[in-house]
Amino acid sequence: MTVADNKPQEHGQGRARTGIAGFDEVLRGGLPRNRMYVVEGEPGAGKTTLALQFLLEGRRLGETVLYVTLSETAEELHEVADSHHWSLDGLDLLELGALADRLQEDADYTVYHPADVELGETTKRVRAEVDRLQPSRLVLDSVSELKVLSETNARYRREILGLKQFFSGRKCTVLILDDRTGRQEQQLQSIAHGVVAMERQRREYGETRRQIHVVKMRGVRFLDGAHDFVIKTGGLEVYPRLSASERVSDHPLEMVKSGVQEIDLLLGGGLDRGSSTLIMGPAGCGKTTLCSQFLIAALSRGEAVDCFLFEESILTFLERAKGLGMDFVPFIKSGVLKIDQVDAAEISPGEFANRVSESVEKRNVRLLMIDSLNGYMNAMPSERFLVIQMHELLMYLGKKGVVTLLVMAQHGMMGAAMQSPVDVSFLADTVVLLRYFEAMGEVRQAISVVKKRRSAHERTIREMRLGPGGVIVGEPLRQFEGVLTGVPRYRGTGKPLLKEDGDD
């Protein structure tokens, strides 16, 4: 968190809501009124869209709003509005883009420097329009043109200070857009009451990632950090960064059962409410099916469940589960189960976290599955950020009392020396390990619990099989040694392994 106290502005009149989903939450209610703010970002970052939303929200509230454009034409602004199905009716527009050109052509500069005449005439037109309309919200797009007209840093700073003094006596909230084409950004930031930075990061594959960051906001306890946002038809959607430190834990201490006695025995009675469980193993060893067993048990108890699938399709997930005796379709129709297909190339981590929090807050989800972390990792810029993002997400879910199941596929098929694409095992409260092993001429599957942070658990290795009855877990493989290596040694005399259907 940054900073200052959260008291109302001494000379302001409350907050001016921006009308942007999520951004007002970042600002703790909106922008303090009657102040001047800078919105900076490279061309294409979304500054104009944000500014238009800010003015349209003011129009919706019955305020007088003014858009002063020094760079874009009125036609271009209407094209932006049309792309979002907006109407600019009721929004006053002052177009000054061609003013400097007209002055250059018409004036005969014999005494004054051309920059002084052009700059003076531009600011004069702006002040006259403000005096005439008395707007409560104003956007100046963009300050880069004032930089060009000023020619020197001293003249530019003097002009910005003059504008700030001019607006200080009027009840008007001002946004100044800056595309960072010059070197005077620090001067503008120091003068403004608040600064909002908009960034766009090109990804090697998939959609561009966009982030918004409140650099400073005097007198406001805003939500610090970079927040993902997207530009959709209808405007910006900002996804505030999850802050688990602000969440209050209020859930009962209880064990969540899987419906399979042997699995619950391995887990020391079940999974703890509000805990996270990482299920690791090679491809095809039954990780998703094991999660499905917990899902069907929770649904049978009447709990709301949400699944986020990053890799396989919803149809594949449902067909495989039905073949194992777990039919999820009735629960989907009743609304207690929601399966969300996620495309890692099209979603940002912030948007994904927002989907998760909406499920928890609006649907009161009690169990959540992310399948898999391999796909989730593809949405992250680096492993370091993946760990930070996952930590915040798990902290939030834990305080909300949600049981979280995380699936991770490891590289390799047999043996104990398989590798994970990223190590997040230290974040999870419980770690379940699945393995293939060879025994008596067949490939078998084994399950073990290698970590459980909140309570004791069984330390044995048991055989696991998937069949029409779902997940079947056998007795501990006490007569085998080296199961996790993939090629164990049998030390017994009987037949300890699970029998196949039809065996005597």
Side-chain angles (χ1 to χ4, degrees):
M1 286 297 155
T2 293
V3 193
D5 57 9
N6 199 24
K7 297 179 181 179
Q9 302 296 304
E10 182 179 354
H11 303 290
Q13 299 294 326
R15 299 293 184 89
R17 299 190 67 85
T18 64
I20 300 173
F23 191 43
D24 287 325
E25 182 179 340
V26 171
L27 295 170
R28 308 299 193 192
L31 296 168
R33 289 185 181 274
N34 310 333
R35 297 289 184 265
M36 187 172 76
Y37 303 94
V38 173
V39 179
E40 61 179 24
E42 297 176 353
K47 302 183 299 298
T48 300
T49 304
L50 182 148
L52 285 174
Q53 281 184 265
F54 173 72
L55 294 183
L56 292 174
E57 176 67 8
R59 183 190 66 179
R60 185 185 70 82
L61 297 173
E63 302 176 21
T64 301
V65 298
L66 172 62
Y67 197 110
V68 179
T69 174
L70 293 160
S71 54
E72 297 190 70
T73 65
E75 182 181 358
E76 289 172 329
L77 288 175
H78 280 282
E79 288 178 355
V80 173
D82 290 342
S83 69
H84 294 292
H85 306 309
W86 295 335
S87 171
L88 298 185
D89 295 341
L91 186 152
D92 291 292
L93 177 63
L94 177 61
E95 185 180 3
L96 298 178
L99 178 61
D101 292 337
R102 292 198 302 271
L103 289 172
Q104 182 71 39
E105 294 173 359
D106 299 340
D108 182 12
Y109 302 122
T110 57
V111 178
Y112 300 102
H113 192 282
D116 291 327
V117 177
E118 295 167 6
L119 181 61
E121 185 64 24
T122 298
T123 56
K124 179 180 178 181
R125 287 283 305 277
V126 173
R127 297 184 186 201
E129 195 70 3
V130 170
D131 286 334
R132 184 179 72 85
L133 295 173
Q134 296 294 315
S136 58
R137 300 189 184 208
L138 179 142
V139 169
L140 179 61
D141 182 9
S142 76
V143 75
S144 299
E145 278 60 37
L146 291 182
K147 296 176 187 177
V148 173
L149 293 176
S150 299
E151 291 193 347
T152 66
N153 290 346
R155 185 183 290 117
Y156 170 72
R157 183 176 179 84
R158 185 170 64 246
E159 199 61 41
I160 293 298
L161 284 170
L163 284 174
K164 181 178 181 179
Q165 184 177 8
F166 171 75
F167 284 111
S168 65
R170 291 162 175 78
K171 295 182 178 180
C172 183
T173 306
V174 182
L175 296 188
I176 297 180
L177 309 189
D178 182 9
D179 59 13
R180 298 174 175 173
T181 55
R183 296 184 178 181
Q184 299 95 336
E185 288 84 1
Q186 294 297 326
Q187 295 189 46
L188 187 58
Q189 289 185 3
S190 65
I191 294 172
H193 190 78
V195 178
V196 176
M198 305 180 74
E199 308 283 349
R200 54 179 306 194
Q201 302 173 6
R202 185 180 64 84
R203 302 168 68 183
E204 293 183 2
Y205 182 81
E207 289 192 346
T208 298
R209 185 182 184 187
R210 301 174 186 269
Q211 292 185 314
I212 192 167
H213 178 207
V214 180
V215 178
K216 81 169 187 177
M217 193 66 60
R218 290 173 182 154
V220 175
R221 186 183 294 275
F222 57 87
L223 183 58
D224 199 5
H227 310 278
D228 289 329
F229 76 93
V230 296
I231 302 177
K232 298 181 177 179
T233 301
L236 270 66
E237 287 186 10
V238 176
Y239 308 112
R241 179 179 59 82
L242 282 180
S243 180
S245 60
E246 298 182 349
R247 311 290 175 171
V248 179
S249 178
D250 184 21
H251 58 82
L253 299 177
E254 60 179 352
M255 287 289 189
V256 176
K257 305 292 185 179
S258 68
V260 177
Q261 183 179 2
E262 291 79 9
I263 295 177
D264 295 335
L265 287 173
L266 271 172
L267 292 166
L271 297 177
D272 298 288
R273 173 66 63 191
S275 69
S276 57
T277 300
L278 176 63
I279 300 175
M280 306 170 62
C285 67
K287 301 181 297 297
T288 302
T289 302
L290 180 60
C291 288
S292 299
Q293 184 66 55
F294 280 96
L295 266 57
I296 202 73
L299 292 168
S300 300
R301 294 191 297 266
E303 299 179 4
V305 174
D306 211 339
C307 301
F308 292 92
L309 304 179
F310 276 87
E311 294 171 358
E312 68 179 355
S313 67
I314 296 176
L315 181 61
T316 300
F317 174 81
L318 294 177
E319 288 182 344
R320 182 185 60 248
K322 188 173 182 180
L324 295 172
M326 294 177 280
D327 188 2
F328 289 113
V329 174
F331 297 105
I332 295 176
K333 291 181 178 179
S334 67
V336 71
L337 170 63
K338 181 182 177 183
I339 303 178
D340 198 345
Q341 184 79 55
V342 183
D343 186 346
E346 302 292 329
I347 192 172
S348 67
E351 184 176 357
F352 175 70
N354 183 74
R355 288 191 192 180
V356 171
S357 63
E358 280 191 349
S359 294
V360 175
E361 304 291 345
K362 295 181 180 180
R363 298 184 57 240
N364 193 30
V365 165
R366 309 306 296 155
L367 189 144
L368 183 141
M369 180 181 79
I370 300 176
D371 186 4
S372 68
L373 290 185
N374 305 71
Y376 178 74
M377 183 177 63
N378 292 331
M380 302 299 298
S382 72
E383 176 183 327
R384 177 168 59 92
F385 294 136
L386 168 67
V387 173
I388 296 172
Q389 180 88 9
M390 182 58 60
H391 175 70
E392 288 187 331
L393 185 61
L394 294 181
M395 286 286 290
Y396 163 78
L397 292 170
K399 291 193 174 184
K400 285 295 184 178
V402 178
V403 176
T404 307
L405 303 177
L406 308 170
V407 176
M408 175 174 283
Q410 294 180 294
H411 303 313
M413 295 296 289
M414 302 284 285
M418 290 188 294
Q419 297 181 346
S420 301
V422 61
D423 183 15
V424 294
S425 59
F426 65 96
L427 295 179
D429 298 304
T430 304
V431 176
V432 178
L433 190 64
L434 303 184
R435 283 288 185 265
Y436 290 115
F437 70 98
E438 176 191 353
M440 302 176 184
E442 294 183 355
V443 176
R444 302 274 183 161
Q445 292 154 275
I447 180 173
S448 59
V449 177
V450 297
K451 169 188 173 183
K452 192 162 191 272
R453 183 174 288 154
R454 302 191 183 185
S455 62
H457 63 91
E458 188 178 294
R459 297 185 176 275
T460 62
I461 302 171
R462 293 173 178 259
E463 186 185 4
M464 184 183 78
R465 194 177 75 235
L466 309 180
V471 179
I472 302 171
V473 176
E475 295 296 320
L477 297 172
R478 300 187 186 279
Q479 301 184 76
F480 283 85
E481 290 182 359
V483 172
L484 297 184
T485 67
V487 187
R489 296 184 299 276
Y490 179 56
R491 299 297 190 184
T493 57
K495 298 179 64 177
L497 297 177
L498 285 170
K499 295 181 180 180
E500 300 289 347
D501 294 336
D503 291 350
D504 294 332

